[in-house]
């Protein structure tokens, strides 16, 4: 973790950020405001984002959005924190929604004016409840979601058909963990390799995504109050770990599976199911898999799916230009309203009018799982959680042995609580005095 002093001291390093970043060519119309926009999107996501930006830049002459693409992970979030702490930040940036709560206490982000957004057609009513609520810190809106990218169950319909379990084009309805395991064994018997591809070895993020999905199916929540103790439902946590262990028994899924091996196995047609994020949809389609995607069945009672979102934020500026700030609102609203193509990468567009458009029904299999946006759960809000944070890797180290060994589940939960409590006892590094009050 970095301290606020280190953040402030590192602002000067941003002068060289452009050398590390990919920027669009200069093309601002005469007199137009230039909006600096940082994001971490690469590969197919980066290409799609650039096409959306090109359309916006070509459609009007009031402003020109100039993107800077920075390396995903710690490098990106460190640079963004330094920019916000120095007050010399870009007009807009993309963050994972789960990381936003950690940036607000240190004054690294500015809140959005919900009234101004509403004038532009962006409001609570244009997002699902989980997405909007997760964007609030205290009673203020600090992020505007572009999408949801949930952790889902991919199925190879050809393998499910051979196993005689395909129902209505998807996985059969099951309501208990044992029913789920029984169907997985039927798929395993028909699959060339495993019934399920699930990579988890050495990958805390993969373990956390499945664990928190199953945990939330219990209707349970976690909370990590600063200076307090982790609030964890032991029974829900133990049952979730036990089911995870049953799945990676070496028959249903490999007991030594990595994410790369799991993706390769499924894309080769050697398994019936894959647990992963929706961003894996394009390569599966390219591989010719007759693929469907749906939420992991609610075997513990409630529909729930772990997810994160790419979201627009306003990095803190000491003296924001009023015209550029106004243009930033217009830019974000325009992009959201024209984000249909964002679904091509598997993401669920956050702007509800997009997924409710009849045209979206023709997009398959994306239309089949758009409803997952109503059931997503995000990381517990804290400064140390979220995509790319150390917390998920540390979680994996605590629970991996119990998942592989098939026992010690309560000990793993106790270890998780001890780990979180130790972090909670330390000050938030961007607000060490605890002066921020939501």
């Amino acid at each position: 973790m970095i301290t606020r002093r280190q953040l402030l001291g590192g602002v000067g390093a941003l002068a060289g950020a452009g050398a590390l970043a990919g920027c669009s060519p200069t093309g601002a119309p005469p007199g137009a405001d230039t909006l600096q926009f940082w994001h971490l999107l690469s590969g197919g996501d980066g290409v799609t984002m650039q096409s959306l930006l090109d359309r916006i830049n070509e459609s009007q002459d009031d402003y020109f959005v100039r993107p800077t693409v920075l390396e995903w992970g710690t490098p990106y979030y460190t640079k963004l924190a330094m920019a916000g702490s120095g007050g010399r930040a870009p007009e807009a940036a993309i963050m994972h929604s789960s990381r936003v709560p950690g940036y607000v206490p240190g004054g690294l982000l500015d809140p959005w004016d919900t009234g101004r957004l509403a004038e532009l057609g962006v409001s609570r009513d244009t997002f699902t409840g989980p997405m909007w609520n997760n964007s609030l810190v205290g009673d203020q809106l600090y992020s505007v979601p572009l999408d949801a990218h949930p952790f889902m169950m991919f199925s190879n319909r050809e393998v499910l058909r051979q196993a005689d379990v395909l129902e209505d084009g998807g996985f059969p309805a099951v309501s208990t963990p044992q029913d789920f395991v029984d169907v997985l064994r039927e798929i395993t018997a028909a699959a060339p390799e495993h019934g399920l591809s699930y990579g988890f070895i050495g990958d805390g993020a993969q373990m956390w995504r499945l664990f928190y999905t199953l945990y939330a199916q219990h209707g349970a929540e976690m909370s990590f109050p600063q200076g307090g103790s982790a609030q964890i439902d032991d029974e829900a946590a133990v049952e979730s770990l036990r089911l995870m262990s049953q799945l990676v028994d070496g028959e249903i899924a490999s007991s030594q599976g990595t994410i790369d091996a799991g993706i390769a196995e499924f894309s080769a047609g050697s398994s019936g199911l894959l647990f992963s994020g929706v961003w894996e949809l394009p390569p599966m389609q390219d591989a010719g898999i007759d693929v469907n995607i749906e939420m992991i069945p609610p075997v513990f009672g409630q529909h729930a799916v772990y997810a994160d979102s790419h979201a627009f934020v306003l990095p803190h500026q000491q003296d924001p230009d009023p015209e550029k700030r106004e243009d930033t609102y217009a830019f974000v609203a325009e992009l959201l309203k024209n984000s249909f193509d964002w679904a091509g990468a598997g993401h669920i567009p956050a702007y509800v009018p997009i997924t409710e458009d009849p045209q979206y029904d023709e997009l398959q299999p994306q239309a089949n799982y758009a409803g997952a946006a109503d059931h997503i759960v995000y990381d517990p809000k804290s400064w140390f959680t979220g995509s790319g944070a150390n917390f998920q890797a540390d979680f994996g180290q605590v629970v991996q042995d119990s998942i592989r060994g098939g026992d010690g589940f309560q000990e793993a939960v106790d270890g998780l609580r001890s780990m979180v409590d130790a972090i909670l006892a330390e000050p938030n590094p961007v607000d060490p005095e605890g002066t921020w009050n939501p």
Side-chain angles (χ1 to χ4, degrees), residues 155-164 166 190 269 271-272 289-291:
S155 60
N156 182 329
R157 284 186 276 215
E158 180 57 32
V159 175
L160 266 61
R161 191 174 292 111
Q162 292 174 4
D164 197 28
L166 189 69
S271 62
I289 300 295
D290 182 10
V291 64

Side-chain angles (χ1 to χ4, degrees), residues 124-189:
R124 175 187 290 270
D125 294 336
T126 57
F127 300 96
T128 67
M131 284 197 214
W132 179 268
N133 293 334
N134 187 70
S135 301
L136 299 171
V137 181
D139 60 355
Q140 291 189 295
L141 188 75
Y142 276 93
S143 64
V144 178
L146 169 63
D147 63 37
H149 40 274
F151 184 78
M152 302 285 274
M153 182 174 69
F154 292 63
S155 60
N156 182 329
R157 284 186 276 215
E158 180 57 32
V159 175
L160 266 61
R161 191 174 292 111
Q162 292 174 4
D164 197 28
V165 300
L166 189 69
E167 291 185 4
D168 298 324
F171 196 87
V174 294
S175 58
T176 69
Q178 188 58 55
D179 289 344
F180 187 40
V181 170
D182 289 344
V183 174
L184 287 173
R185 294 202 184 283
E186 294 182 54
I187 297 172
T188 299

Side-chain angles (χ1 to χ4, degrees), residues 391-415:
F391 168 75
Q392 294 183 0
D394 294 341
F395 168 81
Q397 292 180 3
V398 171
V399 305
Q400 180 172 291
D401 286 347
S402 68
I403 293 172
R404 291 189 65 192
D407 58 13
F409 304 123
Q410 183 60 58
E411 290 79 359
V413 175
D414 293 340

Side-chain angles (χ1 to χ4, degrees), residues 254-265:
S254 172
S255 60
Q256 302 182 44
T258 64
I259 183 59
D260 290 340
I263 290 171
E265 180 181 60

